């Protein structure tokens, strides 16, 4: 065999793969990996099937089905008051992670530093390293996981090329406030630092709060690649369809890579989404739908010895188990899967060096029946 010099020599298998495989092996209830166990939006499913039968089965344009980009531009204008160009600023991608990876590939040169707030969604650091970049990790403040902006400021060096943010946040369920966004804008002004903003949970913000998209802040948007995913909007994570919104010059470079990578995305779902996205109430009602699930899970967990953190958005809530065990969170997640049949995700997996505050992540984007059964078992600990 010819030896391969690995691009990711220190990276193992994704925690989601590990925990979901363990859940299957032990027939455990899976409230680990973030995917709904209920049906996706049925009207959209029917529409997509219809589009296949109607013959929308050939290549879409490289940047995406044009009416879909137009529907996205309308949505962005109505929600964030930003008139982005469907032709020049929106690119449809095979999922949100591909959009993030391609944004990194577009801007990074070997040795460039990227500021990452930890805990961080698991693809960011491998994406940076695979592109020759150097992750500069800045911890969020424990236990409320807010951003220490002074620490961010002091982490900026001459080599800083970008910072990546994620709101609503995976794994912690926190959201960035208007103040956070303005502080970030202030920190980045007069720098050449790009902003990559992961907003795949934009429609999952609870308790009447607002999603503060980078698209609402023109000065920030001018340095940004903003990444989205339809999987989280219509509960169809397996569709792997998303998009990247970026100013024209950045989009042109992004597409220079995209045209020789994916080239284009699955056509029938794009055609269906172009129509379905016009029904605003579908995505606007998502927050209250998922908030009910969060509240249902919290209620069922009331008598547990886990100390649950507050979740303001996303599919997730985190819980500290210091009163239950002093195992590491990885060991605890494996132990719970094997012994009580409940799979969760250890939050230490979202830190490059495995920092461990003894926290597990629970996904509440599940049927009530799944949440009740899992909570019942967790409450017995
Ligand atoms: N970012 C975050 C924070 C996520 O949780 C996920 C996974 N759902 C993604 C990006 C990737 O989205 P996609 O499945 O569309 O690639
Ligand atoms: N985003 C999902 C999560 O956080 C998992 C996606 C994946 O498995 N890569 O659980």
């Amino acid at each position: 065999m010819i030896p391969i010099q690995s691009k990711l020599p220190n990276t193992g298998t994704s925690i989601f793969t590990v925990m979901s495989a363990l859940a299957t092996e032990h027939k455990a209830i899976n409230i680990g990996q973030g995917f709904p166990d209920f049906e996706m939006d049925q009207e959209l499913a029917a529409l997509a099937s219809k589009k296949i039968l109607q013959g929308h089965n050939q290549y879409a344009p490289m940047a995406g089905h044009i009416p879909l980009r137009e529907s996205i531009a309308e949505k962005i204008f109505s929600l964030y008051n930003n008139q982005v160009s469907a032709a020049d600023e929106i690119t449809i991608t095979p999922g949100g992670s591909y959009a993030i990876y391609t944004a990194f590939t577009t801007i990074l040169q070997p040795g460039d530093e990227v500021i990452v707030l930890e805990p961080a969604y698991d693809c960011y650091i491998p994406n940076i390293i695979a592109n020759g970049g150097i992750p500069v990790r800045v911890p969020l403040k424990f236990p409320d996981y807010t951003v220490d902006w002074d620490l961010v400021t002091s982490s900026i060096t001459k080599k800083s090329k970008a910072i990546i943010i994620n709101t609503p946040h995976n794994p912690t369920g926190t959201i960035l406030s208007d103040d956070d966004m303005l502080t970030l804008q202030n920190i980045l002004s007069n720098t050449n630092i790009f902003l990559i903003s992961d907003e795949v949970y934009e429609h999952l913000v609870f308790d009447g709060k607002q999603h503060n998209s980078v698209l609402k802040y023109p000065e920030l948007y001018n340095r940004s690649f903003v990444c989205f995913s339809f999987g989280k909007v219509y509960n169809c994570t397996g569709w792997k369809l998303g998009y990247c919104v970026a100013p024209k010059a950045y989009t042109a470079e992004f597409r220079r890579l995209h045209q020789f990578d994916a080239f284009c995305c699955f056509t029938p779902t794009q055609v269906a989404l172009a129509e379905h996205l016009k029904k605003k109430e579908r995505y606007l009602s998502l927050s209250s739908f998922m908030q009910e699930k969060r509240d249902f899970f919290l209620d069922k967990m009331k008598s547990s010895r886990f100390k649950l953190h507050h979740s303001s958005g996303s599919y997730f809530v985190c819980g500290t188990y210091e009163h239950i065990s002093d195992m590491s969170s990885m060991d605890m997640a494996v132990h719970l899967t094997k012994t009580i049949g409940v799979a969760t995700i250890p939050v230490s997996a979202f830190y490059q060096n495995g920092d461990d505050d003894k926290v597990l992540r629970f996904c509440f984007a599940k049927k009530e029946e799944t949440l009740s059964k899992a909570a019942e078992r967790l409450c017995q600990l």
Side-chain angles (χ1 to χ4, degrees):
M1 299 300 284
I2 304 167
I4 293 176
Q5 189 183 348
S6 177
K7 289 245 158 92
L8 296 172
N10 303 315
T11 306
T13 306
S14 141
I15 191 65
F16 308 119
T17 305
V18 170
M19 291 311 301
S20 281
L22 201 66
T24 307
E25 187 188 334
H26 293 275
K27 298 190 172 51
I29 302 165
N30 192 350
I31 58 165
Q33 193 178 17
F35 63 90
D37 67 348
F38 47 85
E39 284 303 339
M40 67 166 288
D41 182 318
Q42 289 299 284
E43 201 180 311
L44 177 59
L47 200 57
S49 319
K50 199 165 106 190
K51 297 301 175 191
I52 292 180
L53 295 171
Q54 283 176 346
H56 294 279
N57 299 307
Q58 306 308 327
Y59 291 130
M62 180 270 279
H65 182 56
I66 295 166
L68 174 57
R69 284 188 274 144
E70 286 165 353
S71 296
I72 293 170
E74 276 168 33
K75 173 162 109 68
I76 290 174
F77 184 65
S78 87
L79 292 178
Y80 306 128
N81 197 28
N82 185 340
Q83 190 95 62
V84 302
S85 155
D88 299 324
E89 295 176 76
I90 299 171
T91 309
I92 309 298
T93 60
S97 346
Y98 175 103
I100 295 165
Y101 187 88
T102 308
F104 279 130
T105 313
T106 303
I107 58 173
L108 290 183
Q109 297 294 337
D112 284 345
E113 293 179 356
V114 181
I115 297 174
V116 181
L117 306 170
E118 279 192 327
Y121 183 57
D122 76 332
C123 75
Y124 303 161
I125 288 181
N127 282 188
I128 294 163
I129 295 172
N131 279 297
I134 300 167
V136 175
R137 301 174 298 111
V138 173
L140 294 172
K141 291 185 218 164
F142 187 76
D144 56 357
Y145 296 112
T146 48
V147 183
D148 183 339
W149 291 113
D150 289 336
L151 210 52
V152 170
T153 307
S154 62
S155 305
I156 294 177
T157 73
K158 285 200 179 92
K159 289 189 187 166
S160 302
K161 178 57 77 68
I163 174 167
I164 179 160
I165 57 168
N166 171 214
T167 182
H169 188 255
N170 181 1
T172 67
T174 54
I175 54 174
L176 293 178
S177 66
D178 182 49
D179 262 4
D180 286 316
M181 300 307 275
L182 293 172
T183 306
L184 177 61
Q185 181 169 293
N186 200 23
I187 293 171
L188 297 182
S189 65
N190 304 318
T191 73
N192 276 341
I193 298 176
F194 287 99
L195 173 61
I196 297 183
S197 185
D198 178 350
E199 303 187 12
V200 302
Y201 298 105
E202 70 174 323
H203 296 303
L204 294 170
V205 177
F206 311 138
D207 308 316
K209 293 188 182 133
Q210 294 283 315
H211 171 56
N212 289 311
S213 173
V214 161
L215 294 165
K216 281 200 212 167
Y217 302 84
E219 249 185 85
L220 276 180
Y221 176 58
N222 272 342
R223 58 173 76 247
S224 297
F225 293 81
V226 194
C227 304
F228 298 92
S229 169
F230 288 113
K232 305 298 176 324
V233 183
Y234 298 110
N235 296 313
C236 51
T237 58
W239 277 25
K240 290 299 286 188
L241 199 66
Y243 52 100
C244 177
V245 187
K248 184 174 175 176
Y250 306 165
T251 292
E253 279 304 317
F254 182 100
R255 289 181 187 170
R256 209 193 285 265
L257 291 161
H258 170 69
Q259 66 183 335
F260 296 122
D261 192 349
F263 180 71
C264 67
C265 304
F266 190 60
T267 304
T269 46
Q270 292 191 64
V271 180
L273 279 163
E275 270 176 54
H276 202 64
L277 209 54
K278 296 202 184 296
K279 296 179 181 151
K280 288 187 181 181
E281 71 289 352
R282 293 304 161 91
Y283 54 78
L284 293 179
S285 60
L286 198 64
S287 282
S288 57
F289 170 77
M290 208 58 81
Q291 183 177 325
E292 271 179 36
K293 292 198 172 291
R294 177 201 65 177
D295 294 343
F296 181 85
F297 182 64
L298 293 184
D299 185 58
K300 296 285 167 197
M301 287 288 283
K302 251 201 236 140
S303 65
S304 95
R305 289 159 73 213
F306 280 92
K307 201 169 136 230
L308 294 182
H309 299 224
H310 185 71
S311 167
S312 297
S314 80
Y315 278 172
F316 311 111
V317 61
C318 287
T320 310
Y321 57 85
E322 62 196 355
H323 301 301
I324 303 174
S325 164
D326 53 14
M327 267 185 235
S328 73
S329 62
M330 186 67 217
D331 288 350
M332 184 70 172
V334 170
H335 174 75
L336 295 184
T337 309
K338 290 182 178 171
T339 55
I340 62 163
V342 178
T344 59
I345 300 289
V347 170
S348 59
F350 298 85
Y351 290 86
Q352 192 186 28
N353 66 0
D355 285 0
D356 197 350
D357 293 307
K358 306 222 171 351
V359 183
L360 296 177
R361 188 195 78 174
F362 307 107
C363 173
F364 50 74
K366 304 285 174 186
K367 291 180 208 156
E368 287 194 350
E369 175 196 336
T370 310
L371 296 173
S372 291
K373 270 196 215 149
E376 195 182 309
R377 295 180 190 187
L378 292 167
C379 285
Q380 282 164 11
L381 295 168

